[in-house]
Amino acid sequence: MDPRTNDQIRTRLLRRRDELLGEGDVDIEPLKDDPTKKIDEDAAPLAEMEQVIASNRNRARAQQLQQIDLALVRLGEEPEDFGLCESCDEPIPMRRLELMPWARLCAACQQEQESSDAPGTRKHLTDYR
Ligand SMILES: [Zn+2]
């Protein structure tokens, strides 16, 4: 990858990283810590759902930060290999790198990996029978 593109990717990664760090974790409010409040049976499942959504969001954010950090390391240590798909060694299209500068796989390989990781298709669940 030429040094100018390299700089562009680095800038994008750093900007996205700042955004994520600026957002901060979503507060997860404890459900049962308020003894003065009667448990509203209609509201409880909703509050629980909101907790799940918040913790999923926090987890996704932490994962993306990790991917960005890894991408920055790769960009610094192996600038020649950056932007090549780790599975098929083909260059990842610039359009994709602009949207997801931390991408390690081309769209085709990513899709393949995701479909084999999709819930319900995991093979190891049945391996123990
Ligand atoms: Zn690929």
Side-chain angles (χ1 to χ4, degrees):
M1 190 183 287
D2 69 87
R4 234 191 66 194
T5 315
N6 198 315
D7 278 350
Q8 276 178 6
I9 298 284
R10 186 190 306 272
T11 306
R12 279 176 194 278
L13 284 166
L14 289 173
R15 199 188 301 151
R16 183 68 187 135
R17 193 167 173 274
D18 278 351
E19 274 173 23
L20 286 169
L21 288 174
E23 279 171 20
D25 272 345
V26 182
D27 285 334
I28 300 174
E29 290 185 21
L31 280 177
K32 290 160 194 159
D33 277 7
D34 188 353
T36 61
K37 207 158 70 181
K38 270 192 188 168
I39 295 168
D40 183 338
E41 286 184 6
D42 289 335
L46 184 71
E48 232 167 274
M49 199 174 77
E50 279 171 359
Q51 271 196 325
V52 170
I53 291 170
S55 72
N56 283 346
R57 195 180 303 155
N58 291 345
R59 194 165 38 220
R61 190 176 143 266
Q63 268 174 5
Q64 196 171 64
L65 273 173
Q66 207 175 25
Q67 284 181 312
I68 289 174
D69 282 342
L70 281 173
L72 284 167
V73 170
R74 284 186 291 132
L75 200 55
E77 289 180 354
E78 293 164 0
E80 302 301 320
D81 286 346
F82 194 92
L84 295 180
C85 173
E86 288 185 2
S87 179
C88 66
D89 271 345
E90 292 293 321
I92 299 171
M94 199 55 210
R95 224 179 99 82
R96 178 168 166 82
L97 281 180
E98 279 174 4
L99 289 170
M100 302 173 51
W102 52 86
R104 309 174 74 151
L105 297 170
C106 70
C109 292
Q110 177 91 47
Q111 211 167 32
E112 204 171 299
Q113 202 183 60
E114 275 170 12
S115 65
S116 63
D117 279 353
T121 61
R122 282 175 196 271
K123 292 188 179 68
H124 64 85
L125 283 177
T126 54
D127 285 351
Y128 299 101
R129 285 185 189 173

